[in-house]
Amino acid sequence: MNKNAIVLLSGGQDSTTCLYWAKNKYENIEGIFFHYSQKHEIEYQCAKDIAEKLSIELHEFTIPAFKKIGGNSLTNDIKMDDSSKKIPNSFVPGRNIIFLSFASAVAYKSKITDIIIGVNEEDYSGYPDCRGDFIKSMENSLQLGLEREINIITPLQSLSKAGIWKLSDELGILDIIKKNTHTCYNGDRSKLHSWGYGCGKCPACLLRKKGYEEFLNI
Ligand code: ZN
């Protein structure tokens, strides 16, 4: 069993699946959550509840700069748009670069070598900071900048959304994923569907729902 890891938590399906995956592989885990002016408090609540459930320390950092920079639908009052073939406007430029840098500073202090992040193939088509090439390059930069061994572990990298549901089933956490994670861009928690809470209409809900339906047919 590996020793220590720090897991980036967002309160969403992917990072929560990563956390439970890591629980079986590491002796000690710490979590890290960023308050970056995301619109819905529920994401933080989900991350906090899961950290408490697993009795892990949750480091929290507030980064107001993304809202100030603006131009994206996650931190600013801009309608979500993924209609063109370009990167959707839910992309927050620099987000994973900054998050991984903060995580590496915590890892350095806590003598942790492994940073776990839930990026995956299906985000890759939209978000450049979810690509394997970026992760490898960032790992290299952090190692050089810290003069320490730093490994960025991406357990979901090659998985589809259906594959991530399958992994959560294998980990025995389907129910936790449905009830204790949040994906919906509209922050809707009014109704529990077979695939979890959400409005069922926004791009995030549709991706989550489609993945779940595909998982049922695997
Ligand atoms: Zn939704």
Side-chain angles (χ1 to χ4, degrees):
M1 200 177 231
N2 296 326
K3 265 193 114 176
N4 302 316
I6 186 158
V7 183
L8 275 78
L9 288 177
S10 70
Q13 175 180 4
D14 296 348
S15 67
T16 306
T17 304
C18 280
L19 179 61
Y20 278 86
W21 174 88
K23 197 171 113 329
N24 298 329
K25 294 199 158 36
Y26 290 87
E27 279 173 29
N28 296 300
I29 301 168
E30 294 176 18
I32 185 164
F33 181 89
F34 297 97
H35 300 269
Y36 65 99
S37 311
Q38 57 271 64
K39 285 177 191 159
H40 310 296
E41 183 67 11
I42 183 67
E43 294 171 26
Y44 171 56
Q45 201 53 53
C46 286
K48 204 161 151 271
D49 289 350
I50 291 289
E52 272 168 23
K53 217 182 194 36
L54 295 182
S55 303
I56 64 162
E57 182 181 357
L58 186 64
H59 302 272
E60 295 179 37
F61 296 98
T62 302
I63 307 175
F66 290 120
K67 190 179 170 78
K68 200 171 172 191
I69 295 165
N72 73 83
S73 66
L74 287 198
T75 62
N76 296 76
D77 211 8
I78 299 170
K79 199 175 177 311
M80 163 80 189
D81 178 13
D82 68 342
S83 56
S84 73
K85 290 214 169 76
K86 287 185 237 146
I87 300 168
N89 68 356
S90 54
F91 176 57
V92 182
R95 184 171 56 172
N96 282 348
I97 297 171
I98 303 288
F99 286 2
L100 286 166
S101 299
F102 272 77
S104 76
V106 176
Y108 186 94
K109 192 203 120 205
S110 302
K111 297 190 170 52
I112 289 172
T113 55
D114 291 7
I115 300 171
I116 299 172
I117 180 167
V119 292
N120 68 82
E121 207 173 57
E122 288 202 14
D123 287 332
Y124 160 83
S125 55
Y127 296 169
D129 60 356
C130 292
R131 285 185 291 196
D133 282 354
F134 160 70
I135 295 294
K136 266 268 145 269
S137 164
M138 190 70 192
E139 181 181 83
N140 192 33
S141 294
L142 294 174
Q143 286 186 3
L144 288 170
L146 294 170
E147 194 63 36
R148 272 279 177 89
E149 181 191 353
I150 291 282
N151 307 304
I152 304 179
I153 314 287
T154 56
L156 314 182
Q157 185 73 60
S158 62
L159 299 181
S160 63
K161 290 292 176 191
I164 297 168
W165 277 109
K166 187 164 173 279
L167 175 60
S168 63
D169 189 25
E170 288 161 5
L171 292 167
I173 56 163
L174 259 189
D175 208 46
I176 290 170
I177 295 297
K178 287 178 185 180
K179 292 178 183 161
N180 297 100
T181 68
H182 185 81
T183 303
C184 178
Y185 283 131
N186 295 318
D188 190 333
R189 301 286 289 180
S190 59
K191 189 176 171 220
L192 181 62
H193 307 269
S194 58
W195 43 270
Y197 288 100
C199 70
K201 294 181 188 114
C202 74
C205 279
L206 292 177
L207 192 62
R208 180 169 170 140
K209 184 168 172 257
K210 186 168 157 272
Y212 185 71
E213 284 162 359
E214 285 171 7
F215 151 69
L216 293 178
N217 291 318
I218 289 175

